[in-house]
Amino acid sequence: MTTPPNRIPREPARLRVEAVTAATWPDMEALFEGRGGPHYCWCMVWRRMPSKHRRDKGCKKAALKQRVEDGTPVGLLGYLDERPVAWCSVGPRPSFRRLAEIEPDQLRKQPGNVWSIVCFYVQRAYRGQGLAAQLIEQAVAYAQAQGAEMVEAYPVEPEAPSYRFMGFIPQFARAGFTMAGKAGGRRHIMQRRLR
């Protein structure tokens, strides 16, 4: 297939990725509080916090910021032209609420240090450019650098009406994840062993 003469082929955008830390927290705020950002949830859906605060945006933001200040890994920011435009929630599986029912015998077969990828957000103007795939690879590399032996994700089918923020099965399959079970009615468990 040739490119029409009036169109210049565009190179896919390459993200620069940084872990969310106290130093990058202002960028996290800018991304989440920007137009269309997920300021309503502050990516606390799967994280533990008192139920009485689950509906309060300010409490969710404060709870995530406290985790960052405590040094708990919460995720990665993706930058284009030095602007934060994307987010991936990734951290040790025990830092989240129960994401899936795992049979005890299956759990015993798993490595001890499992990390979870639970959420993505890409600003609307940058969607459809493969940024989620880059975030998956960077999240795996980040988890491995922190000692993870396996990374687990909970994606849905592309046509699923809910949980789309958790990513799609084909994205994870292309990144080397394999099916390991179901995590409810729509979510699937996909895993990638690292060691």
Side-chain angles (χ1 to χ4, degrees), residues 48-141:
R48 291 181 187 92
M49 69 179 294
S51 57
K52 65 181 179 180
H53 299 306
R54 286 211 158 270
R55 294 186 182 271
D56 186 304
K57 291 189 289 189
C59 288
K60 290 186 240 185
K61 177 180 176 180
L64 188 64
K65 185 176 185 184
Q66 187 62 57
R67 283 169 171 77
V68 171
E69 290 173 353
D70 291 345
T72 302
V74 297
L76 302 173
L77 290 171
Y79 295 80
L80 290 174
D81 299 323
E82 301 307 311
R83 287 183 51 245
V85 299
W87 152 257
C88 175
S89 178
V90 58
R93 188 167 65 189
S95 68
F96 297 98
R97 295 187 297 136
R98 186 184 313 218
L99 292 154
E101 293 291 332
I102 300 172
E103 297 295 327
D105 62 322
Q106 187 183 15
L107 198 56
R108 282 191 291 276
K109 295 176 187 174
Q110 292 185 354
N113 193 352
V114 179
W115 279 45
S116 295
I117 298 174
V118 302
C119 184
F120 297 93
Y121 168 70
V122 176
Q123 283 182 337
R124 186 174 299 278
Y126 300 98
R127 293 177 190 166
Q129 299 181 37
L131 301 189
Q134 292 179 50
L135 287 169
I136 291 169
E137 284 303 325
Q138 291 292 332
V140 169

Side-chain angles (χ1 to χ4, degrees), residues 1-9:
M1 186 168 123
T2 59
T3 304
N6 60 346
R7 290 192 59 203
I8 299 169

Side-chain angles (χ1 to χ4, degrees), residues 30-48:
L31 180 65
F32 272 52
E33 293 176 348
R35 184 175 181 178
H39 56 87
Y40 51 88
C41 72
W42 280 96
C43 215
M44 290 299 294
V45 170
W46 296 109
R47 292 183 167 90
R48 291 181 187 92

Side-chain angles (χ1 to χ4, degrees), residues 107-187:
L107 198 56
R108 282 191 291 276
K109 295 176 187 174
Q110 292 185 354
N113 193 352
V114 179
W115 279 45
S116 295
I117 298 174
V118 302
C119 184
F120 297 93
Y121 168 70
V122 176
Q123 283 182 337
R124 186 174 299 278
Y126 300 98
R127 293 177 190 166
Q129 299 181 37
L131 301 189
Q134 292 179 50
L135 287 169
I136 291 169
E137 284 303 325
Q138 291 292 332
V140 169
Y142 174 61
Q144 187 167 23
Q146 303 301 313
E149 299 167 82
M150 186 168 75
V151 178
E152 194 168 78
Y154 316 91
V156 296
E157 297 285 354
E159 59 279 352
S162 58
Y163 295 106
R164 298 170 66 85
F165 59 90
M166 298 184 91
F168 301 111
I169 291 168
Q171 294 171 311
F172 285 96
R174 285 191 295 271
F177 285 71
T178 58
M179 283 290 189
K182 290 278 283 180
R186 294 193 177 105
R187 295 179 298 118

